[in-house]
């Protein structure tokens, strides 16, 4: 419902455990890391209790940032190389990462394994490279294929060098301006939008000079390393033969290695998972501080994940010092990250809140309020049983097939809300005669619908005020909470304002005379105008104004006018909820009329179908946006600031759950054997 | 868009910002100070730089730190300007960030080249990644020019420097730097072509003059110190000049002797001040160039036209000012006397 409580965790441990601890932390995916080194420098790391481990305290003076010494890229290259040659999928499996293992052993093992397939792998790479080079050569040959000359002989000329390559367009222009001074013959083979491909004949004797000129023009030379016979056209033939040959050779190599593959595939897969984890471990370590013996690690943990974290590092517990600290104890300035936690119903709407901003740690999480009201607003504006179901179906599809849980989730929920309102309005794919209306038919009681929209708006705005009051109370912000236009003064003014209107229209009981209401309103406006000096007086802060008094009152004066206008417009703005409900019916009536005018069975059916599609697509989108507008502009501006930052626990992404446990077992057996 | 709506606001803003530039008197006072931290104190207490020094203790600042703060000011000032522009104009103004970004990148490249370990490099990089997507972490981690180039992938620079990835020559640092500069001028030239006709003229007038002088300086140095071939000199010259087209530049590049070159410049161009044939010609050349440009932009500023010129004027003025403050700090640091010190300033005091 609200922002999850955060605790700061500080861990001190022995350097030799760092890898294991880091792995467990990553797998528990619960810690939002903070750079320990800067924390220590700013004296935020809790002073250690000397009784616990005197050495760790002593070493405190020699703290430095951790620097990595593992050569992961090389290791990864080996594994990925083996995976490529065996044709294995590059997935990370959770099951491979459990249990204790050491990086050094793995490293040795992988290197040994790699030695066995090394020659094959190198050959494999070499073939790959040749294949790519040939592809490149072919591109050049395509440009030359109509020319009748012996390319092989041309390339082997003794006193003239043939160069191929490309210039960027700008450099080619520059080159052109100076042709007469360059001792070379240049053929332009191809001119693209950005590049020019050229062939050049350069006399051997001036090759060095020309090369220097070329490199100053950033010439990308392409050296032809393979040779075939005859004209470019003949080269092409020879080249495609060779490419086929390479493919065959690669296949043979893979077949040769089949035995190895059967034997080691699962093992390699395990190592792959581990290396990917190791990358994360190194990333995590860039946040730690260390001495020669100890490491210091710090981060944020939401309360509900605390146990998970403790569980995962339990094994090392006696060798670690773990200190938890509540967030509010923290010094000012550094805010904890925000971890939103909401029920299933409103969870997808978190993404809509995040579009606007992440709530800060001390703010109320508006997701629930937004989710529920947004659903109601959308449904009220776009109430239709059939069309709502289609939205729901689209949402479900996005969620399950396209893996877009947020967008899909929002769509599905809006769809359901639309269906409920469809029942209330008695609308099914626009037809008003299929199902009975449980509540009201918008088109028949236009005034009531519009007024209902405004009343709903008043309720929402009031809740918005309440949210702001709670936020202000949490932050002990008197100025914003009591005196500002979004605080108590604003709320009282708003209700008096409504009362006044009702009295003028003659709906409201006149237990308070109109004159009193007006006087009270003026007082409230005065309070809003004087919010800063009043707040400062209560808190005893001096001076009363942060800026010069005249500036303050000019700005405040406009602020008061703006308050009156905006409260009025914010309220009236909700009339659109009713208007769109009517609009929705009206749009369909238009299509229905069209369909009747055509008066042909198939044609009018087609018009009705197209009409429905347009209504869902176009009106659905408009309503979606209008609803968002009401939420963001009319409501968020009242109570939501959103200057927090998101809680992102350190975790390894795209991890596959328990799969290939079998493989893992066989691997363990093998190791035992 | 109408030029009034486009430039009235930004020119007013610039007029206000120009009012905050340092006065001659400020320089006079600063030169006579005895230590960089005293200058920092002065900047903090008496000038518009106050807000940038707000959270620092000037007495503890040394040269590096002051320069870093000054660079941050530059970014802040540019940020203020850029908000007045949109679309093509915005991306044109953004090009000027490149100028400083390149300074940072060059610095990293040089540190890599001399294999120096660098601490706190990240916090010293003020510009990198400011307005273009540059993967800061990778740039900082780079251990070789090759890795640096790889880290620049997906940036505007990559096209220019990717040819150097496999380069094994000793001159790869030199080429790297030249290509970065080329990237800046090419981008600037391409973006300037999207401006309106009058704005292009203003651009040519100010930046073109600068480019002319840079070209002359480059040809001069290329011939005198680096012994480059005319082709190379020509290839690295800049295209956006005001007084010279490529044929003029080419002619200058292919002059056979130094005297011929200098005489041609003296007779046929307004830039004869660059070659006064005194013993300090090379030392003062850069300052003379900046001073010439300074007078030029002061003229432009007086006219205060409703076009891009005022923005360019401000960009150059603030650049001059920072350079002058840096010079003053160096002057003080090396205990130059007043007369000597003021000669290194762009501002005439």
């Amino acid at each position: 419902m609200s922002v999850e409580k955060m605790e700061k965790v500080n861990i001190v441990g022995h350097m030799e455990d760092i890898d294991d601890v880091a792995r467990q932390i990553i797998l528990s995916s619960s810690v939002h890391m903070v750079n320990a080194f800067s924390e220590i420098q700013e004296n935020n790391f809790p002073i250690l209790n000397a009784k616990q481990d005197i050495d760790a305290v002593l070493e405190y003076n020699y703290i430095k940032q951790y620097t990595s010494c593992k050569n992961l890229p090389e290791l990864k290259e080996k594994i990925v190389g083996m995976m490529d040659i065996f044709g294995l999928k590059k997935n990370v499996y959770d099951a491979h990462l459990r249990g204790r293992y050491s990086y050094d052993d793995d490293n040795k093992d992988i290197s040994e394994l790699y030695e066995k397939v090394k020659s094959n792998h190198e050959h494999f790479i070499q073939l790959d490279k040749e294949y790519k080079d040939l592809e490149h050569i072919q591109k050049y040959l395509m440009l030359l294929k109509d020319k009748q000359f012996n390319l092989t002989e041309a390339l082997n000329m003794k006193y003239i060098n043939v160069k191929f390559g490309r210039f960027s367009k700008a450099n080619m222009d520059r080159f052109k301006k100076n042709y007469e001074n360059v001792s070379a013959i240049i053929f332009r083979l191809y001119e693209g939008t950005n590049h020019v491909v050229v062939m050049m004949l350069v006399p051997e004797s001036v090759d060095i000079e020309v090369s220097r000129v070329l490199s100053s023009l950033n010439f990308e030379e392409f050296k032809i390393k393979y040779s075939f016979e005859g004209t470019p056209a003949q080269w092409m033939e020879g080249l495609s033969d060779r490419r086929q040959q390479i493919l065959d050779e690669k296949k043979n190599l893979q077949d040769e290695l089949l035995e190895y593959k059967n034997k080691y595939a699962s093992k390699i897969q395990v190592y792959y998972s581990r290396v990917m984890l190791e990358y994360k471990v190194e990333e995590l370590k860039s946040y730690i501080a260390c001495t020669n013996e100890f490491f210091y690690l710090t981060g944020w943990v939401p309360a509900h994940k605390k146990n998970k974290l403790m569980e995962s590092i339990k094994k090392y517990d006696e060798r670690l010092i773990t200190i938890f600290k509540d967030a509010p104890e923290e010094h000012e300035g550094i805010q904890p990250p925000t971890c939103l936690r909401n029920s299933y119903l409103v969870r997808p709407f978190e993404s809509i809140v995040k579009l606007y901003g992440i709530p800060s740690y001390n703010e109320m999480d508006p997701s629930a309020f937004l989710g529920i009201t947004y659903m109601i607003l959308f449904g009220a504006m776009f109430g239709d049983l059939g069309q709502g179901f289609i939205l729901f179906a689209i949402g479900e599809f996005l969620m399950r097939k396209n893996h877009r849980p947020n967008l899909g989730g929002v769509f599905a929920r809006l769809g359901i809300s639309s269906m409920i309102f469809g029942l209330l309005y008695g609308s099914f794919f626009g037809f008003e005669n299929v199902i009975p209306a449980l509540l009201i038919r918008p088109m028949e009681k236009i005034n009531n619908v519009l007024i209902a929209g405004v009343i709903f708006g008043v309720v929402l705005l009031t809740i918005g005020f309440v949210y702001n009051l709670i936020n202000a109370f949490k932050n002990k912000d008197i100025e914003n909470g009591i005196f500002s236009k979004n605080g108590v003064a604003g709320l009282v003014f708003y209700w008096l304002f409504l009362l006044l209107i009702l009295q003028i229209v003659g709906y409201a009981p006149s237990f308070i005379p109109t004159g009193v209401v007006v006087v009270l309103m003026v007082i409230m406006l005065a309070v809003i105008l004087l919010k800063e000096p009043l707040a400062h007086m209560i808190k005893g802060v001096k001076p009363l104004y942060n800026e010069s008094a005249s500036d303050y009152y000019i700005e405040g004066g406009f602020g008061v006018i703006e308050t009156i206008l905006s409260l009025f417009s914010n309220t009236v703005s909700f009339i659109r909820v009713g208007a769109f409900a009517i609009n929705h019916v009206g749009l369909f009536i238009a299509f229905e009329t069209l369909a009747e005018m055509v008066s042909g069975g198939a044609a009018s059916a087609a018009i009705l179908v197209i009409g429905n599609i347009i209504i869902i697509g176009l009106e659905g989108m408009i309503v979606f946006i209008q609803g968002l507008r009401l939420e963001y502009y009319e409501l968020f501006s009242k109570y939501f600031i959103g200057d927090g930052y998101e809680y992102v626990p350190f975790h390894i992404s795209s991890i596959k759950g328990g799969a290939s446990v079998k493989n893992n077992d066989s691997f363990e057996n093998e190791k035992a054997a | 868009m109408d030029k009034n709506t486009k430039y009235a606001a930004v020119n007013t803003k610039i007029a206000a910002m120009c009012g905050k530039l340092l006065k001659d008197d400020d320089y006079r006072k600063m030169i006579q100070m005895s230590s960089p931290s005293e200058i920092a104190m002065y900047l903090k207490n008496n000038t518009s730089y106050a807000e940038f020094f707000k959270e620092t203790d000037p007495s503890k600042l040394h040269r590096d730190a002051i320069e870093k703060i000054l660079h941050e000011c530059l970014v802040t000032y540019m940020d203020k300007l850029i908000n007045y522009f949109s679309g093509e104009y915005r991306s044109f103004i953004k090009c000027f960030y490149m100028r400083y970004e390149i300074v940072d990148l060059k610095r990293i490249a040089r540190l890599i080249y001399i294999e120096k370990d660098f601490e706190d490099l990240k916090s010293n990089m003020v510009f990198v990644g400011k307005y273009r997507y540059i993967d800061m972490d990778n740039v900082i981690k780079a251990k070789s020019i090759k890795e640096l180039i790889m880290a620049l992938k997906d940036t505007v620079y990559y096209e220019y420097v990717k040819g150097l990835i496999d380069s094994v020559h000793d001159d790869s640092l030199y080429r790297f730097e030249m290509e970065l500069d080329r990237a800046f001028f090419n981008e600037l030239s391409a973006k300037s072509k999207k401006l309106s006709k009058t704005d292009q003229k203003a651009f040519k007038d100010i930046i073109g003059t600068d480019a002319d002088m840079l070209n002359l300086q480059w040809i001069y140095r290329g011939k005198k110190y680096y012994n480059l071939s005319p082709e190379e000199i020509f290839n690295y010259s800049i295209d956006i000049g005001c007084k010279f087209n490529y044929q003029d530049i080419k002619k200058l590049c292919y002059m056979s002797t130094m005297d011929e070159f200098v005489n041609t410049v003296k007779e046929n161009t307004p830039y004869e001040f660059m070659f006064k044939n005194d013993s300090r010609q090379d030392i003062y050349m850069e300052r003379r160039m900046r001073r010439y440009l300074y007078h030029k932009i002061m003229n432009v500023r007086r006219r205060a036209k409703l076009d891009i010129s005022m923005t360019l004027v401000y960009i150059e003025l603030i650049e001059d000012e920072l350079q002058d403050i840096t010079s003053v700090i160096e002057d003080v640091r090396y205990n130059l006397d007043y007369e000597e010190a003021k000669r290194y300033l762009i501002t005439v005091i």
Side-chain angles (χ1 to χ4, degrees), chain A residues 166 171 174 177-178 180-181 195 212-213 215-218 220, chain B residues 160 162 175 179 182 231-232 234-237 239 246 250 254:
Chain A
R166 52 182 219 164
N171 284 335
R174 170 134 308 208
K177 288 171 187 166
N178 207 4
E180 72 270 17
N181 290 314
H195 286 95
R212 283 181 63 185
V213 173
S215 63
S216 72
L217 284 171
N218 217 352
E220 292 168 42
Chain B
Y160 293 91
K162 69 173 183 196
R175 298 246 177 257
E179 288 305 328
R182 195 205 296 271
E231 290 82 12
E232 268 183 285
F234 175 65
N235 287 339
Y236 280 132
S237 60
D239 266 340
Y246 81 88
K250 196 161 125 188
Y254 281 93

Side-chain angles (χ1 to χ4, degrees), chain A residues 213-257:
Chain A
V213 173
L214 289 178
S215 63
S216 72
L217 284 171
N218 217 352
F219 177 66
E220 292 168 42
E221 189 175 351
F222 176 68
K223 293 212 167 69
I224 294 185
K225 291 182 208 133
Y226 304 92
S227 184
F228 298 94
E229 284 303 314
T231 63
Q234 285 167 323
W235 267 56
M236 297 255 290
E237 285 168 26
L239 194 140
S240 54
D241 286 350
R242 174 67 191 144
R243 281 173 67 177
Q244 192 51 50
Q245 216 179 326
I246 291 175
L247 287 183
D248 291 344
E249 273 183 54
K250 269 167 82 170
K251 187 88 188 49
N252 284 342
L253 266 179
Q254 276 178 325
D255 287 346
E256 256 177 61
L257 289 168

Side-chain angles (χ1 to χ4, degrees), chain A residues 298-566:
Chain A
T298 169
W300 293 102
V301 189
H304 72 280
K305 284 190 176 173
K306 190 174 159 186
N307 283 338
K308 203 172 163 193
L309 176 69
M310 290 312 286
E311 192 66 29
S312 65
I313 56 171
K314 199 171 64 184
K315 268 182 264 176
Y316 313 96
D317 208 20
E318 59 226 49
R319 291 170 59 77
L320 294 176
I321 305 173
T322 313
I323 304 161
F324 284 96
K325 262 181 107 181
D326 277 355
E329 279 180 38
E330 272 300 316
H331 58 103
E332 283 180 18
I334 294 180
Q335 260 199 354
T338 308
C339 171
L340 298 182
R341 208 169 161 219
N342 282 296
S343 63
Y344 173 74
L345 181 65
V346 293
R347 199 173 302 140
F349 293 98
E350 285 174 8
S351 62
I352 290 181
V353 174
K354 285 175 192 166
L355 270 180
Y356 188 95
I358 311 280
S360 63
Y361 185 69
N362 291 326
E363 226 172 340
M364 295 264 289
D365 173 13
S367 305
F369 180 50
L370 176 129
I372 292 164
T373 54
Y374 192 34
M375 279 190 281
I376 297 175
L377 287 172
F378 187 90
M381 290 193 271
F382 193 83
D384 192 300
L385 186 60
Q387 291 165 353
F389 179 74
I390 289 187
L391 275 182
F392 171 74
I394 292 173
E396 285 293 304
F397 178 79
L398 282 174
M399 194 153 61
R400 290 179 204 287
K401 297 282 175 226
N402 282 20
H403 304 292
R404 299 285 299 275
N406 287 330
L407 187 66
V410 169
F411 266 33
R413 283 158 181 75
L414 293 182
I416 292 172
S417 160
S418 173
M419 284 162 73
I420 294 170
F421 275 89
L423 283 174
L424 296 176
Y425 293 165
S427 168
F428 181 74
F429 282 116
F431 294 104
E432 303 246 296
N433 43 13
V434 183
I435 49 173
L438 296 178
L439 183 70
I440 194 172
R441 289 203 187 278
M443 210 52 169
E444 285 164 14
K445 292 193 173 128
I446 291 180
N447 271 346
N448 291 4
V449 172
L450 293 181
I451 291 170
V454 175
I455 291 174
F456 184 57
V458 170
V459 174
L460 291 194
L461 285 173
T462 308
I463 298 176
F465 272 112
V466 172
Y467 258 83
N468 186 49
L469 293 184
I470 297 173
N471 278 336
F473 177 73
K474 277 184 163 181
N475 291 329
K476 309 268 181 294
D477 185 350
I478 297 174
E479 181 178 335
N480 196 14
I482 298 179
F483 302 123
S484 88
K485 64 172 181 169
N486 294 330
V488 174
L491 182 60
V492 172
F493 176 78
Y494 181 51
W495 277 92
L496 289 170
F497 181 66
L498 293 173
L499 186 66
L500 181 71
I501 290 178
L502 289 181
Q503 284 183 344
I504 291 172
V505 188
Y507 276 111
S510 47
F511 56 87
I512 309 173
T514 311
V516 177
V517 174
V518 174
V519 170
L520 281 174
M521 279 171 71
V522 174
I523 293 173
M524 285 304 138
L525 283 182
V527 167
I528 293 172
L529 179 62
L530 295 170
K531 62 176 176 175
E532 194 172 290
L534 284 176
H536 282 189
M537 243 187 299
I538 291 178
K539 283 191 284 190
V541 179
K542 290 219 164 148
L544 290 183
Y545 305 96
N546 286 337
E547 55 210 307
S548 80
S550 59
D551 282 359
Y552 175 80
Y553 282 109
I554 291 171
E555 208 185 306
F558 284 111
V560 167
I561 296 172
E562 200 245 326
T563 310
I564 303 173
L565 287 179
S566 71

